[in-house]
């Protein structure tokens, strides 16, 4: 026995955001002030009517196991929401609910990929994609997101990577960490390419309602693709519900039973009181969500303007989510080195672009889920650090 651990664990990655958060918290514990721009979660509290729905549900005795794919009321609310928001005919029978959207990344890959299969995924992208592809023994095929295209890719780039071994194509719009989006025109081209290609698609749309001057378009709405697309959405971002752990997906019919089986083997089901809070979120008033979005828009302007004023830094205007992804190559420092210095010397926690894959080199990710005041303070501290170089 070597280290006593399964070999497969050597192929399982992680999310650097949690490590940086731990380092930032340790600094705070030693008395330092730290501005948190590393973690990808809204700083707002969950709208009160959603909290009330969960409290009420617990008081009403919703404290037991429930059906593994989700309670009918939430599956129906999700189907109705997806159908309306994406303009698609989605039946509740193909909606599955999980604790957070993340399990669909794991289970989606495990349910579809064998060792040797190729999976195309955005890079820089959410690190869990590459991690779970590797874990499944499949081959990760990065699809570079290019700054000059507003962090999109071209149809040719995708075409160049499609092979007879491609089993799954992962898309993410709006995207973490770049804030880029996949426009309808690009989806039309992708749909044409994939029409001739027998593979699954996983479209991660957890930021679908966090858009600025852009319309959401899902690959699932394009001809013939709904029946082979895992369309993923959740509550963490839109409703400031990260800690509740609630997500859902519309699955191709043949994947419903296998993914529910993976759920039964891992978590059994999603807490019913949390699911009832999800029903309240999807069917209740939107005022607080709209206020959050308006605030994110103000912060986006402030952070992008401020970053572009710093020497050696340039930042494209993100179209969605709540991340800015500035190019820092002009500072002469590498992404990891600069992120480390920002935390240790300036008290600003951010992530190196390389935390999102090799194509993130030369960039930092700033999550602007923090107050305008803190964003201005962080920009000033960043500017001060660059002046000292
Ligand atoms: C692109 C992307 N997909 C999925 C998730 C997972 O979200 P959840 O909290 O619903 O599991 C995140 C969270 O940061 C994300 O950025």
């Amino acid at each position: 026995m070597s280290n006593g651990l399964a070999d497969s664990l050597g192929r399982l990655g992680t999310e650097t955001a949690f490590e940086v958060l731990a380092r930032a918290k340790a600094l705070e514990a030693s008395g330092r002030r730290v501005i948190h721009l590393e973690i990808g979660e809204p700083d707002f509290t969950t709208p009160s009517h959603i909290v009330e729905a969960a409290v009420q549900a617990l008081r009403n005795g919703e404290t037991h196991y429930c059906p593994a794919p989700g309670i009918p009321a939430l599956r129906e609310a999700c189907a109705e929401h997806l159908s309306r928001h994406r303009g698609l005919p989605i039946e509740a029978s193909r909606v599955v609910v999980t604790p957070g959207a993340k399990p669909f990344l794991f289970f989606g890959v495990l349910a579809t990929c064998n060792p040797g299969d190729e999976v195309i995924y955005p890079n820089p992208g959410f690190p869990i994609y590459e991690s779970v592809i590797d874990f499944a023994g499949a081959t990760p095929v990065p699809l570079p997101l290019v700054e000059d295209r507003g962090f999109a890719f071209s149809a040719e780039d995708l075409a160049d990577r499609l092979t007879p071994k491609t089993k799954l194509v992962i898309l993410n719009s709006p995207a973490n960490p770049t804030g880029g989006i996949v426009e309808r025109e690009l989806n039309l081209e992708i749909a044409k390419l994939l029409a001739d290609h027998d593979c699954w698609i996983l479209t991660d749309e957890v930021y679908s309602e966090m858009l600025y001057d852009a319309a959401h378009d899902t690959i699932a709405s394009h001809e013939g693709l709904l029946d082979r697309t895992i369309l993923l959405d959740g509550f963490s971002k839109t409703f400031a519900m990260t800690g509740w752990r609630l997500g859902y997906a519309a699955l191709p019919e043949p994947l419903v039973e296998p993914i529910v089986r993976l759920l039964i083997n891992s978590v059994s089901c999603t807490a019913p009181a949390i699911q009832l809070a999800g029903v309240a979120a999807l069917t209740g008033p939107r005022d607080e969500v709209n206020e959050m979005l308006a605030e994110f828009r103000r912060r986006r302007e402030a952070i992008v303007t401020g970053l572009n004023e710093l020497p050696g830094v340039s930042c494209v205007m993100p179209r969605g989510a709540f991340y800015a992804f500035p190019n820092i190559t002009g500072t002469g420092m590498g992404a990891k080195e600069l992120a480390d210095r920002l935390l240790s010397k300036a008290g600003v926690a951010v992530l190196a672009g390389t935390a999102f894959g090799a194509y993130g080199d030369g960039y930092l990710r700033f999550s602007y889920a923090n107050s305008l005041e803190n964003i201005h303070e962080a920009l000033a501290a960043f500017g001060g650090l660059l002046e000292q170089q």
Side-chain angles (χ1 to χ4, degrees):
M1 194 161 95
S2 52
N3 59 6
L5 299 177
D7 293 343
S8 56
L9 275 182
R11 302 195 306 269
L12 192 64
T14 188
E15 237 189 296
T16 315
F18 289 103
E19 287 165 24
V20 175
L21 179 66
R23 276 192 9 238
K25 291 274 178 208
L27 266 185
E28 278 176 326
S30 73
R32 287 277 308 279
R33 168 160 164 71
V34 175
I35 300 175
H36 292 276
L37 303 181
E38 77 280 40
I39 200 86
E41 68 170 342
D43 52 321
F44 304 102
T45 47
T46 306
S48 49
H49 68 279
I50 301 176
V51 176
E52 280 315 310
V55 170
Q56 203 49 57
L58 288 170
R59 293 225 157 93
N60 290 347
E62 295 287 351
T63 55
H64 298 270
Y65 290 132
C66 65
I71 58 170
L74 183 56
R75 295 176 81 193
E76 274 153 28
C78 293
E80 145 73 13
H81 175 73
L82 282 177
S83 303
R84 198 165 15 89
H85 188 254
R86 310 298 204 282
L88 283 173
I90 306 241
E91 316 88 56
S93 59
R94 63 156 76 188
V95 171
V96 172
V97 176
T98 48
K102 226 178 198 178
F104 285 111
L105 304 178
F106 211 162
F107 297 159
V109 171
L110 286 184
T112 56
C113 295
N114 287 311
D117 288 340
E118 293 176 3
V119 183
I120 300 177
Y121 69 104
N123 188 320
F126 192 45
I128 301 305
Y129 305 145
E130 193 174 289
S131 168
V132 296
I133 297 165
D134 274 332
F135 187 75
T139 306
V141 180
L143 179 60
L145 301 183
V146 182
E147 182 182 358
D148 291 347
R149 295 198 194 98
F151 291 111
F153 55 87
S154 70
E156 294 76 58
D157 290 342
L158 176 60
D160 288 348
R161 286 163 179 79
L162 281 168
T163 77
K165 286 189 180 166
T166 308
K167 190 69 181 294
L168 175 69
V169 174
I170 300 179
L171 301 171
N172 174 215
S173 179
N176 178 7
T178 63
I181 63 170
V182 180
E183 301 266 12
R184 183 173 161 72
E185 292 69 36
L186 179 55
N187 268 338
L188 281 165
E189 291 183 78
I190 297 171
K192 264 191 224 140
L193 281 173
L194 296 185
D196 304 329
H197 212 90
D198 183 18
C199 65
W200 299 103
I201 303 161
L202 190 160
T203 176
D204 179 344
E205 304 183 5
V206 298
Y207 299 98
S208 60
E209 296 193 54
M210 308 196 117
L211 280 164
Y212 315 97
D213 314 319
H216 185 65
D217 188 71
T218 177
I219 190 70
S221 65
H222 293 264
E223 176 129 19
L225 296 186
L226 180 59
D227 287 342
R228 52 192 174 105
T229 300
I230 300 173
L231 166 50
L232 173 58
D233 205 336
F235 294 80
S236 287
K237 316 293 174 174
T238 308
F239 300 101
M241 289 177 71
T242 47
W244 296 69
R245 311 312 300 133
L246 190 61
Y248 60 98
L251 301 176
E253 204 274 323
L255 290 183
V256 172
E257 188 279 330
I259 286 188
V260 170
R261 202 158 13 118
L262 283 162
L263 265 172
I264 290 172
N265 275 272
S266 51
V267 294
S268 295
C269 61
T270 307
I274 304 293
Q275 295 194 51
L276 285 163
V279 174
L282 288 179
T283 58
R286 285 283 177 142
D287 319 359
E288 287 174 73
V289 168
N290 292 339
E291 277 165 32
M292 287 190 252
L293 249 192
E295 184 58 24
F296 277 132
R297 182 186 286 272
R298 284 190 281 274
R299 296 168 178 184
R300 178 185 76 131
E301 292 292 331
I303 199 160
V304 173
T305 306
L307 286 168
N308 278 317
E309 283 166 1
L310 297 177
V313 179
S314 63
C315 187
V316 301
M317 188 59 90
R319 314 275 307 275
F322 42 77
Y323 307 112
F325 202 62
N327 182 326
I328 48 91
T329 45
T331 65
M333 269 180 282
K336 176 86 176 61
E337 181 192 1
L338 187 51
D340 285 346
R341 274 166 175 253
L342 260 169
L343 179 57
S344 61
K345 299 210 184 314
V348 180
V350 300
L351 299 185
T354 41
F356 301 92
Y359 291 92
D361 202 9
Y363 300 89
L364 294 179
R365 190 193 78 170
F366 286 69
S367 160
Y368 51 86
N370 206 324
S371 67
L372 269 177
E373 199 185 349
N374 283 342
I375 287 170
H376 285 300
E377 192 181 330
L379 286 166
F382 190 9
L385 179 81
L386 291 175
E387 267 166 33
Q388 287 164 25
Q389 300 309 311

